[in-house]
Amino acid sequence: MIRNPDRPLRSRRSVLYVPASNKKAMAKLAALSCDAVIFDLEDAVAPGDKVAAREALRGHFSDTEATTHERIIRINPLSGEWGAEDFLAARACRPDAILLPKVNKHGDITDAEDALAETDAPNSIRLWAMIETPAGLLNSGSIAEMAGNPHSRLDCFVAGTNDLAKETGARIAPGRSVFVPWLMQIVAAARAVGIDALDGVWNDYRDSEGFASECTEAAAMGFDGKTLIHPSQIESANRAFSPSHEEIANARAIRAAFALVENRNKGVISLDGKMVERLHLDVAEKLLARHTTIGDAQ
Ligand code: COA
Ligand code: MG
């Protein structure tokens, strides 16, 4: 799939939520090595703190220069009590993206695209969507299709596992066996249109071993990264979603093998006793591009 130039490859291994009401935590973000930060105006901010959180967010964005990490603002649903005010506050901050919670249908994306167009928002302000309701899951294919429009700002799906558990009654347990079909559906819907997919959060942030194992599992599922709730989770996520030395060496070997004169016109070759097709060359090139992007971001 040819990448949309408005959607450059970005490293999104570690994406940290921070409540927009927590000024102290926001002040220390520059020192963290996460790839992206989601400033939350939604569930992490109590109803009585919404106004103060918007103010703190405006203050933070006006006080900080452009950062090495991407900055995303999660607003409340546009159709709800706080959505319109959140949207205006987020728009004024000119973040890299606005994250829409509880996206149920493709019309929710259209509404946000229209709201951004009405305020002449630059194309650099993108949209991310949380898939975290039963309707959102069932409609994830048609929601993702919105990104097929060349003018669409939709760049990324974020799995909302806590809300999915709440809405369905399914329980989150180590290994997440009951969630796997839904998580893979989110990955497939995102991949069908070439956008990114991020896994949900691990709540028990003191259990670093359990978290590391869930990161490994999420990387194997094809997710680009994991959403995080605590700075202590950043390093593990960065490690799990970076290609290993072995994967990089293997990808380089595949590239070198297909570059040999005798293999240039071949569809399939043998490398170290294994069948390697041109599709594996595509996979290798993608992995090497990802490796370069991660290096550039550090
Ligand atoms: N982003 C940035 N910094 C954070 C942070 C976060 N998400 N979570 C904690 N920190 C900072 C704290 O401010 C504290 O800094 P300090 O040492 O300068 O005081 C340090 O990391 C250690 O924090 P700790 O005491 O271990 O945690 P806590 O009890 O202060 O907070 C949570 C625990 C879960 C309340 C907090 O991590 C949090 O709010 N996480 C994000 C929740 C969220 O946004 N949820 C919505 C999406 S699911
Ligand atoms: Mg949620």
Side-chain angles (χ1 to χ4, degrees):
M1 179 175 293
I2 297 167
R3 245 193 130 81
N4 180 335
D6 286 329
R7 218 172 266 143
L9 194 60
R10 297 289 307 247
S11 179
R12 292 176 178 143
R13 301 164 298 171
S14 49
V15 179
L16 178 68
Y17 284 103
V18 59
S21 48
N22 189 341
K23 281 189 189 169
K24 195 172 157 222
M26 288 198 288
K28 293 186 173 177
L29 290 171
L32 302 179
S33 57
C34 50
D35 287 336
V37 172
I38 298 175
F39 297 87
D40 193 21
L41 290 170
E42 201 219 7
D43 286 348
V45 177
D49 293 339
K50 299 286 184 195
V51 174
R54 283 184 210 120
E55 267 316 301
L57 192 64
R58 281 201 194 91
H60 176 77
F61 272 75
S62 66
D63 289 351
T64 46
E65 302 286 319
T67 49
T68 49
H69 53 251
E70 274 190 290
R71 298 193 291 182
I72 298 93
I73 298 174
R74 183 166 79 169
I75 62 173
N76 280 279
L78 270 178
S79 55
E81 186 184 345
W82 302 293
E85 283 294 316
D86 281 0
F87 172 80
L88 290 175
R91 163 70 185 85
C93 292
R94 295 172 72 106
D96 293 296
I98 292 177
L99 173 58
L100 306 171
K102 303 180 176 68
V103 170
N104 286 320
K105 53 189 188 311
H106 63 79
D108 296 340
I109 304 293
T110 317
D111 290 347
E113 299 263 16
D114 290 349
L116 283 167
E118 275 162 24
T119 60
D120 285 327
N123 207 30
S124 59
I125 304 183
R126 314 296 294 173
L127 286 172
W128 289 17
M130 304 243 15
I131 303 297
E132 55 181 346
T133 62
L137 256 189
L138 294 172
N139 294 326
S140 55
S142 66
I143 296 167
E145 273 173 23
M146 302 300 293
N149 176 330
H151 303 295
S152 170
R153 298 172 193 254
L154 180 60
D155 278 0
C156 187
F157 274 176
V158 181
T161 36
N162 282 328
D163 267 297
L164 273 173
K166 174 184 167 221
E167 295 299 322
T168 60
R171 294 198 191 119
I172 303 175
R176 298 188 294 181
S177 58
V178 294
F179 276 77
V180 167
W182 297 339
L183 294 171
M184 292 313 302
Q185 191 172 334
I186 292 171
V187 172
R191 292 291 178 256
V193 292
I195 63 173
D196 286 345
L198 304 179
D199 192 14
V201 299
W202 171 265
N203 298 324
D204 187 0
Y205 61 89
R206 292 211 171 95
D207 176 4
S208 52
E209 251 177 59
F211 173 71
S213 134
E214 193 165 283
C215 283
T216 307
E217 174 191 300
M221 285 175 180
F223 280 107
D224 297 283
K226 195 149 173 73
T227 46
L228 316 177
I229 53 166
H230 197 276
S232 63
Q233 298 179 320
I234 296 171
E235 208 182 305
S236 238
N238 282 348
R239 200 175 316 116
F241 291 96
S242 297
S244 65
H245 293 304
E246 195 187 347
E247 285 172 323
I248 294 164
N250 189 40
R252 285 185 177 142
I254 292 175
R255 179 194 266 171
F258 272 109
L260 292 173
V261 177
E262 62 267 33
N263 292 337
R264 264 190 202 149
N265 296 320
K266 287 190 183 162
V268 60
I269 58 174
S270 168
L271 185 64
D272 297 332
K274 290 194 194 108
M275 177 188 78
V276 181
E277 295 178 302
R278 286 209 170 256
L279 71 88
H280 297 111
L281 178 59
D282 293 344
V283 175
E285 293 294 358
K286 254 192 208 162
L287 184 136
L288 293 171
R290 200 151 52 84
H291 174 57
T292 305
T293 310
I294 291 167
D296 289 347
Q298 281 167 348

